Amino acid sequence: MKASVVIRSKDEADRLRLTLTSLACQSEPAEVVVVNDGSSDHTSEVLADAPDRLDLKVVHHAKPAGRSAAANAGAEKATGDILIFLDGDTLAAPDFVARHMDRHREKPNLIVRGETYHLRCTRPFLDPEAGTAKPGEEERVARMSASERSRSLVTREQIETDFAGIDRRGQPGIYPGFGPRRLYDLEMEALRAPVDCGVLWTAASGANQSLSRAAFIASGGFHPSISINEHRELALRLCLSGMSMTACEGRSYHMTHRSGWRDPLEDLEWEDIFYAAHPRPDVALMPLFWQSLSELDSVPEAARILSLPQLAQAAASCAGLEGRETVRAAYIAAQVNNDRAMASSLAGEA
């Protein structure tokens, strides 16, 4: 059984160089397929100078095709039995490939998510190895002491000789912050539980996730019109076809490069397409789960959904209802009314 790591990358040349270095240091080698999705920086030069020991294939797009189309193109080019998706700004731990492959050798028809960490220290840098400032971060980088700057760098030498030092700087979650960390913990807890709660597809990850290439191709791959949450939509389709979600200990490290993140609660272009394809209560309530984990009081206390098993129960309570807003409004109203009724009953007993 052979693995192919599929990377979609656009305008992140200096981070991609580090990603490729980490893949050249794997305990179990894999084919690496990079889709250069219309980059305008020096990505082509980085790919041309990739480590000789990499089994590298490259797909160049003259114009950006988007995340889904780029990943699909990489999967078509790949020859491995198992596809492992990774982003071009993400490091792979030395046993990353081996951990994924161990799970697939244990059992077929799995969608495997690894442990997704982040490196906050790289955020102000255009090039995390050279320590050059990202546009807008020049003053911040200039204020760094020599020791602080040195501690913040991620270099090819560190990847090759002291990956444990990089691991010590990593923190759980793809992005910094309370919300991403809490979501990560809940997703991995559900994936590691002995019983499938029924909505594990919501714990899918855009990077550090693997599955059979045959199943991916047969499914049609990522939805071409979705550029955020495409991984969850694919996971839902595959789980409905009989595949199962699970976790492994293969760890990746997102080299953070922006303040905040592309928040699916704000960037809503995916939602209409996703729900039109899957008009289900769990799809309608998924954003309510994310809102419940935020630091904002946007969901009534009684209606907050604070785990994936609770999301599954909430969806079951709304079976038969149609329309995203109808499902959400009905669920919130029922929970608030139940809370009021309980409070009234307790007051009466007192």
Side-chain angles (χ1 to χ4, degrees), residues 77-139:
K77 186 77 169 180
T79 62
D81 306 288
I82 300 297
L83 301 176
I84 308 175
F85 289 97
L86 195 65
D87 286 337
D89 57 0
T90 305
L91 301 178
D95 60 354
F96 172 81
V97 171
R99 295 282 192 173
H100 276 271
M101 296 303 289
D102 285 347
R103 295 311 308 269
H104 289 288
R105 292 184 181 111
E106 290 171 1
K107 184 180 177 181
N109 297 321
L110 291 179
I111 307 164
V112 181
R113 175 180 173 173
E115 297 179 351
T116 46
Y117 276 47
H118 68 270
L119 295 167
R120 185 193 296 263
C121 60
T122 62
R123 185 155 58 187
F125 299 132
L126 183 64
D127 182 349
E129 182 167 31
T132 53
K134 190 175 63 176
E137 296 286 352
E138 294 86 355
E139 185 176 342

Side-chain angles (χ1 to χ4, degrees), residues 254-274:
H254 177 220
M255 292 176 280
T256 306
H257 53 86
R258 59 190 288 182
S259 296
W261 62 91
R262 191 178 173 194
D263 190 339
L265 291 173
E266 297 177 359
D267 191 343
L268 298 176
E269 65 175 354
W270 64 274
E271 201 168 5
D272 289 337
I273 303 168
F274 201 138

Side-chain angles (χ1 to χ4, degrees), residues 49-232:
D49 293 336
D52 292 338
R53 60 188 182 277
L54 270 183
D55 177 10
L56 179 66
K57 292 183 177 179
V58 178
V59 178
H60 288 289
H61 288 170
K63 296 181 179 180
R67 285 176 57 83
S68 291
N72 291 345
E76 287 284 352
K77 186 77 169 180
T79 62
D81 306 288
I82 300 297
L83 301 176
I84 308 175
F85 289 97
L86 195 65
D87 286 337
D89 57 0
T90 305
L91 301 178
D95 60 354
F96 172 81
V97 171
R99 295 282 192 173
H100 276 271
M101 296 303 289
D102 285 347
R103 295 311 308 269
H104 289 288
R105 292 184 181 111
E106 290 171 1
K107 184 180 177 181
N109 297 321
L110 291 179
I111 307 164
V112 181
R113 175 180 173 173
E115 297 179 351
T116 46
Y117 276 47
H118 68 270
L119 295 167
R120 185 193 296 263
C121 60
T122 62
R123 185 155 58 187
F125 299 132
L126 183 64
D127 182 349
E129 182 167 31
T132 53
K134 190 175 63 176
E137 296 286 352
E138 294 86 355
E139 185 176 342
R140 177 183 172 184
V141 172
R143 289 200 306 267
M144 286 183 169
S145 67
S147 60
E148 180 186 4
R149 184 172 175 276
S150 177
R151 289 194 305 270
S152 299
L153 299 181
V154 175
T155 69
R156 281 169 283 181
E157 182 179 3
Q158 290 170 355
I159 293 168
E160 292 171 345
T161 65
D162 184 27
F163 203 93
I166 295 173
D167 175 71
R168 286 193 292 271
R169 289 183 275 168
Q171 295 177 311
I174 299 175
Y175 297 101
F178 171 81
R181 170 62 187 271
R182 183 65 177 141
L183 179 60
Y184 169 81
D185 288 341
L186 291 173
E187 289 174 339
M188 297 305 287
E189 178 183 340
L191 287 171
R192 290 180 174 131
V195 178
D196 185 341
C197 65
V199 293
L200 290 184
W201 60 268
T202 66
S205 176
N208 195 347
Q209 186 157 285
S210 63
L211 72 158
S212 155
R213 180 179 181 275
F216 182 87
I217 297 298
S219 75
F222 292 112
H223 194 301
S225 300
I226 300 179
S227 63
I228 182 172
N229 274 327
E230 73 281 355
H231 48 283
R232 291 186 171 96

Side-chain angles (χ1 to χ4, degrees), residues 19-26 32 51 53-54 160:
T19 299
L20 294 176
T21 301
S22 72
L23 290 171
C25 297
Q26 292 296 298
V32 176
R53 60 188 182 277
L54 270 183
E160 292 171 345

